[in-house]
């Protein structure tokens, strides 16, 4: 009889909890969902440990790991085809920031981006380009605590603007 009352109490708590979540934002709902899932997984693991039924879980994990190691060469063999299939599925879409980052990583920089890196306005003179480059490279040089990436970007911007 007590079990029925506990089950009824649980159902009522779930009902009111779901009712109060209707008014929350999706990020709050996602946070609560993750919290509930991890709590349930922890309680299940605790229950299996307390009752001595955890051995099948370790066996299942061991089999899954062994299976993945056996399957890994085949997955690596077909990785380019899977990547191409994924590109076709998503339509080969890249967002603008990702495309700009990839172009930037390959050493390609537009004239507008070069002006932006050096903090200059469009049509700056050669003297302004050199002085802006010198000021930035003194601040961001790797020997002064800056990064190689930023120094390379600054140098590339100067090269592009002076060669145009």
């Amino acid at each position: 009889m007590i079990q029925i009352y506990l089950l009824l109490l649980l159902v009522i708590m779930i009902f009111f909890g779901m009712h109060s979540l209707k008014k929350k934002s999706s990020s709050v709902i996602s946070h609560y969902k993750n919290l509930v899932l991890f709590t349930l997984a922890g309680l299940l693991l605790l229950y299996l440990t307390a009752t001595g039924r955890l051995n099948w879980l370790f066996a299942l994990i061991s089999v899954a790991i062994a299976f993945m190691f056996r399957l890994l060469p085949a997955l690596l063999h077909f990785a380019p085809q899977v990547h191409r299939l994924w590109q076709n599925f998503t339509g080969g879409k890249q967002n603008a920031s990702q495309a700009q980052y990839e172009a930037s990583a390959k050493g390609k920089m537009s004239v507008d981006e070069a002006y932006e890196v050096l903090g200059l306005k469009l049509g700056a003179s050669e003297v302004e380009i050199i002085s802006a480059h010198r000021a930035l490279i003194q601040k961001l040089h790797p020997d002064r605590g800056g990064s190689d990436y930023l120094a390379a970007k600054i140098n590339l911007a100067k090269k592009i603007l002076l060669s145009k």
Side-chain angles (χ1 to χ4, degrees):
M1 191 69 175
I2 292 177
Q3 295 160 345
I4 294 174
Y5 288 131
L6 288 176
L7 185 62
L8 185 62
L9 179 65
L10 181 65
V11 168
I12 292 171
M13 287 174 50
I14 290 173
F15 174 76
F16 282 115
M18 297 292 266
H19 183 68
S20 68
L21 282 179
K22 284 183 183 179
K23 301 169 189 162
K24 304 288 183 183
S25 68
S26 61
S27 64
V28 172
I29 292 172
S30 175
H31 173 71
Y32 282 130
K33 181 184 73 167
N34 289 340
L35 182 67
V36 167
L37 287 176
F38 283 125
T39 302
L40 288 176
L43 289 173
L44 179 66
L45 192 62
L46 186 65
Y47 173 75
L48 291 174
T49 304
T51 58
R53 298 181 186 149
L54 199 58
N55 55 354
W56 67 269
L57 183 62
F58 287 124
L60 183 68
I61 290 172
S62 301
V63 168
I65 290 172
F67 181 73
M68 288 302 295
F69 276 117
R70 296 291 291 252
L71 190 64
L72 192 61
L75 288 175
L76 290 176
H77 177 72
F78 291 110
Q81 290 86 355
V82 171
H83 180 68
R84 208 170 311 122
L85 181 66
W86 178 255
Q87 289 291 334
N88 290 339
F89 176 72
T90 60
K93 298 175 187 170
Q94 289 183 342
N95 56 19
S97 63
Q98 184 179 1
Q100 182 181 6
Y101 175 76
E102 287 179 358
S104 174
K106 294 178 182 174
K108 299 176 185 174
M109 182 184 289
S110 68
V111 175
D112 293 334
E113 186 181 358
Y115 278 116
E116 188 177 329
V117 166
L118 292 178
L120 298 172
K121 294 181 181 176
L122 197 63
S125 69
E126 185 175 326
V127 174
E128 291 173 329
I129 293 170
I130 291 172
S131 65
H133 171 268
R134 184 175 295 128
L136 280 174
I137 206 70
Q138 285 176 351
K139 291 179 186 174
L140 301 172
H141 195 274
D143 292 342
R144 295 179 181 244
S147 69
D148 292 330
Y149 177 78
L150 291 176
K153 284 291 180 189
I154 294 167
N155 290 332
L156 182 61
K158 176 187 170 190
K159 180 181 173 185
I160 288 173
L161 293 178
L162 292 180
S163 67
K164 66 174 178 111

